[in-house]
Amino acid sequence: MSTATDNSPHPIDVTVGARITSLRLAKGMTQTDLATKIGVSFQQVQKYERGSNRVSASRLWRTAEALDVPMTFFFDGVTTDAGAPREERPVTPWARELMALEKSLPASARRLVLNMARQLAERETTASGV
């Protein structure tokens, strides 16, 4: 737990910041785009994303609305008994493009793409002996 003399960001603030970054990138938004939508400067968004500034409840609400996710998105899977929360993997350009295309696909096509990806992953796992 952070103390008054500890200047490092709290792990929860870092996790929330990483999730903001990941989702912002997945949506193809710049820090300036997000800042405009939530009413802060892009420098403030940078501080939120690093976890160096905590996001207030009202600002997090606006952020969730701007990124079109429920508030719970920022805290899913975070536990208090395990110490530091899990670290987020950065969104790759490939995943970002796939997420952008997902919006324009009908539900049936999304299911087909997901099933194909599962089959390819299973085939790769079987072929590598994992």
Side-chain angles (χ1 to χ4, degrees):
M1 186 66 121
S2 294
T3 63
T5 59
D6 183 3
N7 290 331
S8 61
H10 189 280
I12 298 294
D13 297 322
V14 173
T15 296
V16 168
R19 291 179 181 189
I20 290 171
T21 303
S22 176
L23 195 54
R24 176 181 61 77
L25 291 173
K27 302 255 181 198
M29 294 174 71
T30 66
Q31 288 177 330
T32 302
D33 294 336
L34 180 58
T36 300
K37 288 183 179 237
I38 66 173
V40 299
S41 67
F42 81 90
Q43 293 95 334
Q44 187 62 44
V45 169
Q46 288 176 333
K47 292 175 184 180
Y48 290 156
E49 290 184 353
R50 282 194 311 264
S52 58
N53 279 14
R54 290 185 174 151
V55 185
S56 70
S58 59
R59 190 73 64 205
L60 193 60
W61 182 269
R62 288 172 119 177
T63 303
E65 285 184 330
L67 296 172
D68 195 30
V69 294
M71 283 280 289
T72 56
F73 171 85
F74 301 106
F75 302 101
D76 282 345
V78 175
T79 61
T80 56
D81 59 341
R86 68 175 190 240
E87 193 164 321
E88 293 292 310
R89 291 179 53 194
V91 176
T92 64
W94 179 87
R96 202 173 315 131
E97 183 177 353
L98 186 60
M99 287 187 277
L101 290 171
E102 182 264 341
K103 296 178 213 170
S104 63
L105 294 173
S108 59
R110 288 194 301 268
R111 281 191 298 276
L112 287 171
V113 170
L114 182 59
N115 287 336
M116 182 179 66
R118 282 185 184 133
Q119 289 174 2
L120 290 170
E122 287 173 13
R123 185 176 298 156
E124 184 63 28
T125 300
T126 304
S128 65
V130 177

